[in-house]
């Protein structure tokens, strides 16, 4: 069972489907500056209100007592290269009521059924639930999985685009921790990977449906990750440009700090009608 714990995981959960449909945009240096400005501004306000976290994406919705009624406002909270991503903002709300999973014919009310629909959807959960996926979850475009109030666990699986996986705590994943297809660039930084005991699954990375002569050119890098219980990361490619690395997210903290960073992480204890 894998447990991505930090808020960056939430960020990935919420924006992953939209990254897929976003295209390369403006001057990376400009994006860097904007991201740093909003982080600085959030950090300046730390301690002034309980909802301020130092993470501008969280601040954007956690300071709204009506966050539950304004769920889709979250789509406008993104910063950096995912800023233009709208996910399921313009779609209907889809409520997951059924935690079961049938990959062959997904039932209405299940997460998988919502994820494969062609129309945009904002996916929420009727209650806390543990969903054991029998196969990996394939997402169609323009979906937002909004796990606020619920508890979500998922491995990032990356398609086109740039992904910065930072300061997460991965423990006992099912078959891999970071998966990808369609030539994504993945920078893994300051994470803690604790491999399962089964020798078959020690590798953190998984390239799907692609021969090595192709994926050897994908840029996958591990930097400052803590590898435990035999975990290993197979890097490839030439690495990403430094400006993209700087713009992609908050600066990574060293992996030995993961325990303290994630100590209060996990599902948020948010209640309808009050600041989260
Ligand atoms: C953000 O804060 C850092 C550290 O104080 C500073 O070096 C940087 O110039 C600031 N950046 C912006 C865009 O305000
Ligand atoms: C490890 O996983 C593989 C694939 O699921 C399985 O066939 C094998 O029995 C497992 N080994 C152990 C020691 O559990």
């Amino acid at each position: 069972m894998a447990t991505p714990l930090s808020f960056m995981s939430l960020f990935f959960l919420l924006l992953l489907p939209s990254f897929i449909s976003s295209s390369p945009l403006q001057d990376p240096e400009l994006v860097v500056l904007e991201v740093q400005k909003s982080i600085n501004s959030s950090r300046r306000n730390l301690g002034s209100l309980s909802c301020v976290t130092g993470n501008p994406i969280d601040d954007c919705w956690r300071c709204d007592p009506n966050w539950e009624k304004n769920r889709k406002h979250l789509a406008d909270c993104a910063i950096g290269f995912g800023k233009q991503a709208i996910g399921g903002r313009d779609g209907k709300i889809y409520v997951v009521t059924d935690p079961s999973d049938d990959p062959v014919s997904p039932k209405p009310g299940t997460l998988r059924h919502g994820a494969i629909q062609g129309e945009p959807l904002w996916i929420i959960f009727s209650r806390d639930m543990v969903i054991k996926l029998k196969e990996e979850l394939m997402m169609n475009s323009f979906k937002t999985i909004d796990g606020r109030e619920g508890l979500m666990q998922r491995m990032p699986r990356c398609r086109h685009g740039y992904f910065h996986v930072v300061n997460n705590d991965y423990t006992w994943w099912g078959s891999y921790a970071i998966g990808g297809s369609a030539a994504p660039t993945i920078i893994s930084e300051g994470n803690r990977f604790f491999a399962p005991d089964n020798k078959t699954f020690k590798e953190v990375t998984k390239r799907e449906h692609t021969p090595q002569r192709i994926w050897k050119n994908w840029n996958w890098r591990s930097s400052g990750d803590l590898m435990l219980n035999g975990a290993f990361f197979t890097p490839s490619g030439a690495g990403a440009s430094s400006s993209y690395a700087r713009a992609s997210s908050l600066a990574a903290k060293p992996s030995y700090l993961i325990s303290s960073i994630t100590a209060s992480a996990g599902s948020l204890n948010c209640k309808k009608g009050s600041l989260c």
Side-chain angles (χ1 to χ4, degrees):
M1 178 64 72
T3 314
L5 285 173
S6 76
F7 62 79
M8 278 309 295
S9 301
L10 182 64
F11 180 72
F12 275 105
L13 287 171
L14 297 166
L15 298 180
L16 181 63
S18 318
F19 270 111
I20 293 167
S21 62
S22 67
S23 48
L25 30 101
Q26 71 270 37
D27 178 7
E29 293 296 336
L30 222 82
V31 179
V32 175
L33 207 68
E34 273 177 34
V35 168
Q36 287 180 348
K37 257 193 217 155
S38 56
I39 292 172
N40 283 4
S41 140
S42 173
R43 289 192 175 158
R44 262 197 308 278
N45 294 327
L46 263 179
S48 64
L49 269 173
S50 66
C51 58
V52 175
T53 60
N55 169 2
I57 300 161
D58 274 355
D59 296 353
C60 176
W61 67 273
R62 290 178 70 173
C63 293
D64 173 8
N66 289 318
W67 65 270
E68 204 273 335
K69 288 198 178 67
N70 302 327
R71 280 181 179 278
K72 290 179 172 180
H73 170 59
L74 183 67
D76 304 319
C77 294
I79 55 174
F81 292 108
K83 189 174 170 170
Q84 309 298 332
I86 55 172
R89 187 191 67 191
D90 299 334
K92 287 187 217 141
I93 299 262
Y94 175 96
V95 186
V96 178
T97 51
D98 180 347
S100 73
D101 184 38
D102 178 358
V104 179
S105 54
K107 273 191 279 176
T110 60
L111 175 59
R112 191 178 295 278
H113 182 82
I116 60 172
Q117 297 306 305
E119 61 179 313
L121 288 176
W122 191 276
I123 300 173
I124 64 173
F125 299 81
S126 64
R127 57 186 166 84
D128 269 5
M129 56 179 76
V130 174
I131 300 177
K132 290 210 171 117
L133 296 173
K134 298 204 172 125
E135 276 174 25
E136 68 181 287
L137 186 65
M138 300 295 289
M139 301 282 305
N140 217 328
S141 301
F142 298 107
K143 301 289 178 298
T144 296
I145 298 182
D146 178 355
R148 289 175 291 174
E149 233 188 356
L151 172 59
M152 290 293 301
Q153 301 186 337
R154 178 179 185 268
M155 301 285 94
R157 177 172 177 278
C158 312
R159 299 192 65 220
H160 309 274
Y162 181 96
F163 300 85
H164 193 185
V165 182
V166 57
N167 288 157
N168 292 284
D169 190 9
Y170 292 92
T171 310
W172 299 83
W173 53 83
S175 67
Y176 66 93
I178 296 178
S181 61
T185 292
I186 297 178
I187 309 296
S188 171
E189 211 175 354
N191 301 287
R192 181 169 65 183
F193 294 103
F194 193 101
D197 285 335
N198 190 323
K199 288 200 183 70
T200 321
F201 302 123
K202 297 291 187 191
E203 186 176 354
V204 165
T205 40
K206 183 183 179 193
R207 277 88 170 170
E208 291 175 79
H209 319 299
T210 314
Q212 181 171 9
R213 67 184 159 76
I214 307 272
W215 66 248
K216 70 177 173 35
N217 298 315
W218 297 358
N219 293 319
W220 290 29
R221 281 282 177 279
S222 162
S223 154
D225 288 328
L226 191 61
M227 298 295 181
L228 299 173
N229 206 31
F232 68 97
F233 185 108
T234 308
S236 56
S241 82
S242 60
S243 62
Y244 275 79
R246 278 192 291 124
S248 55
S249 79
L250 321 181
K253 300 264 195 315
S255 52
Y256 66 82
L257 290 175
I258 296 282
S259 295
S260 59
I261 291 173
T262 58
S264 63
S267 58
L268 294 169
N269 197 11
C270 300
K271 303 216 165 37
K272 291 177 189 175
S274 54
L275 299 184
C276 182

